[in-house]
Amino acid sequence: MRVLFSDLTLPYLLKDAEYPVGGWAVQLRQLAIALREAGHEVGVLTWAGANAFVGPQSEVQLLETYDRNRGIRKLRFFYYFLPSMIAAARRFRPDVVVQSCASTETGTMAFIASLLGVPFVHRIAADTDADGQYVTRLKQHERVAFQFGMRRAKLVICQNSYQSENIAISFPKKGRLLLHNSILVPPGIGDINPRGARSYVAWLNVFRRQKNLPLLIKIAAALPAVKFRVAGSAMPQHMDEEMRANIAALEALPNVELVGYLTRDRVPEFLAGAIALLSTSDFEGFSNTYLEALLAGTPIVTRSIVDPDSIVRRNALGGVADSGDELAGELAKVVGLPPARFDQLAMRCRDYVLANHRPSAAVEKLVAAFQQVAG
């Protein structure tokens, strides 16, 4: 098959630039590689100059469209952006068009798929995109475009059962695919670090409101004997006064170290040295960071609302709290495990992810679903 995706942040990930990217870019790269290895053609619509920016690479075929610095701001979408994307999509000749993340781009890609006479597939990026809460964070034109795209979608890919159940309520006749995130396993993956080689609790995320920095501050303050290393940074649009105050509060805690943005090649080592990965998010879809931690043998401590399909709780991969008030206690239990019990837990984490989240298995389900909607 010829599968066309769209994403404006993937070039930064391919270059491993110091630029925060979301979980979809990580999954897109992995799916693109696995699709190509399975014999399918993959193209990704992105911005003009992306290939020169990334440099030589064979992972993903980047299809350049518009120059983000050209055109009259309020008019360029219709006379420049959209025509350039349509032209690039036509040249690729896709069998299916796929887009993720609720935005204007959802409607745009649905419209392009309609022009090309191929099915449009939307992949739900966060639980709020499935249960209707997106209306609180999207502007009116973004909501209209997203809703248009969802109505035109022949298939909706969901990351967890909560998303699938909510899409079934809103669109009872629409095709759905439940597809848990996957992770590429590097060749020659090393041994798991024992408890004695781990010295801190890791927190790794883009600094956004939904990641709940106030809860992280509360937990770190409640466990002064535990060292926390906080990795991440904020995009300019998220750096408001509240965010600055939260970052300042973290910096003021003596047991917290802010390590800044981590390029992708530094993430495995960061997680491998951690006693646990702490998640304070208010909502997710299926966190790639969870899978990266599990591959490193690092347990996850989170709340039940962001434990997708209860994988952490059901498989005993760390600690799960039912409320934010209980999260510090769950974290303390994991930190306080005897070394032998911790090492058993670490091995269970890696065994689980190797058995259940390989990209090859995800691609088999994905292609079967694409073929069904493409006829």
Side-chain angles (χ1 to χ4, degrees):
M1 297 193 74
R2 298 179 65 83
V3 185
L4 178 65
F5 297 92
S6 65
D7 192 84
L8 300 179
T9 62
L10 184 63
Y12 298 105
L13 179 65
L14 294 176
K15 188 179 177 65
D16 204 4
E18 192 166 325
Y19 184 94
V21 299
W24 167 236
V26 176
Q27 278 304 297
L28 175 53
R29 172 180 172 263
Q30 299 194 30
L31 289 174
I33 293 171
L35 281 164
R36 188 199 65 216
E37 290 177 346
H40 305 282
E41 293 291 325
V42 178
V44 179
L45 295 177
T46 192
W47 39 273
N51 284 292
F53 173 78
V54 173
Q57 58 91 24
S58 59
E59 292 183 352
V60 181
Q61 182 181 356
L62 297 176
L63 308 174
E64 298 187 12
T65 58
Y66 55 81
D67 184 334
R68 294 171 294 178
N69 298 314
R70 283 184 55 188
I72 302 171
R73 183 177 181 186
K74 293 186 178 181
L75 301 176
R76 59 189 175 189
F77 177 83
F78 295 101
Y79 81 85
Y80 176 45
F81 284 14
L82 185 58
S84 68
M85 293 181 72
I86 293 171
R90 285 191 191 280
R91 288 193 296 270
F92 184 72
R93 297 177 292 107
D95 296 309
V96 63
V97 171
V98 186
Q99 186 270 340
S100 183
C101 305
S103 66
T104 305
E105 192 177 338
T106 310
T108 301
M109 296 309 297
F111 175 70
I112 290 173
S114 179
L115 283 180
L116 300 182
V118 299
F120 172 65
V121 176
H122 179 74
R123 181 255 195 191
I124 298 293
D127 291 352
T128 52
D129 296 346
D131 63 17
Q133 294 186 63
Y134 65 85
V135 298
T136 64
R137 61 183 178 82
L138 296 184
K139 298 176 182 177
Q140 183 176 7
H141 71 277
E142 294 173 327
R143 294 198 300 269
V144 171
F146 175 59
Q147 291 162 355
F148 168 79
M150 289 297 292
R151 290 194 300 270
R152 298 305 299 262
K154 298 296 183 183
L155 174 71
V156 178
I157 301 171
C158 301
Q159 298 181 69
N160 58 55
S161 296
Y162 177 82
Q163 294 177 359
S164 184
E165 291 162 1
N166 278 274
I167 293 298
I169 294 171
S170 301
F171 302 97
K173 297 182 180 180
K174 196 173 294 294
R176 302 186 314 280
L177 172 65
L178 178 57
L179 191 70
H180 288 164
N181 282 359
S182 57
I183 184 167
L184 291 169
V185 180
I189 185 171
D191 295 335
I192 296 172
N193 279 345
R195 177 62 176 85
R198 299 168 181 261
S199 59
Y200 53 87
V201 169
W203 189 97
L204 173 61
N205 248 315
V206 177
F207 290 173
R208 299 177 63 180
R209 187 181 299 271
Q210 74 191 63
K211 306 305 180 181
N212 202 334
L213 289 180
L215 180 55
L216 171 60
I217 295 165
K218 180 179 178 180
I219 293 169
L223 300 172
V226 177
K227 180 180 179 181
F228 291 77
R229 298 191 74 199
V230 175
S233 62
M235 292 183 177
Q237 62 267 35
H238 301 306
M239 186 57 80
D240 54 18
E241 288 304 316
E242 181 181 355
M243 182 62 68
R244 291 188 181 91
N246 287 330
I247 293 172
L250 283 170
E251 290 176 329
L253 291 171
N255 60 327
V256 174
E257 177 189 0
L258 271 64
V259 300
Y261 176 82
L262 294 182
T263 53
R264 299 307 304 173
D265 63 332
R266 295 172 59 198
V267 169
E269 182 180 3
F270 175 73
L271 292 172
I275 305 166
L277 171 70
L278 173 65
S279 171
T280 55
S281 295
D282 290 328
F283 62 87
E284 293 281 356
F286 197 113
S287 175
N288 293 304
T289 310
Y290 286 9
L291 300 182
E292 292 167 333
L294 295 174
L295 190 62
T298 301
I300 298 162
V301 178
T302 186
R303 286 181 291 171
S304 56
I305 57 171
V306 285
D307 180 10
D309 292 342
S310 299
I311 64 162
V312 178
R313 178 168 277 165
R314 285 189 297 104
N315 297 283
L317 304 177
V320 179
D322 291 322
S323 70
D325 292 338
E326 299 172 0
L327 201 51
E330 289 296 324
L331 181 59
K333 291 177 186 177
V334 174
V335 171
L337 283 174
R341 284 188 59 194
F342 179 91
D343 293 345
Q344 291 173 352
L345 170 58
M347 183 59 69
R348 185 162 63 247
C349 289
R350 176 172 287 185
D351 288 347
Y352 166 81
V353 78
L354 292 178
N356 294 281
H357 294 277
R358 289 185 179 271
S360 55
V363 162
E364 287 182 14
K365 295 177 65 176
L366 193 63
V367 171
F370 287 167
Q371 290 173 336
Q372 185 173 2
V373 296

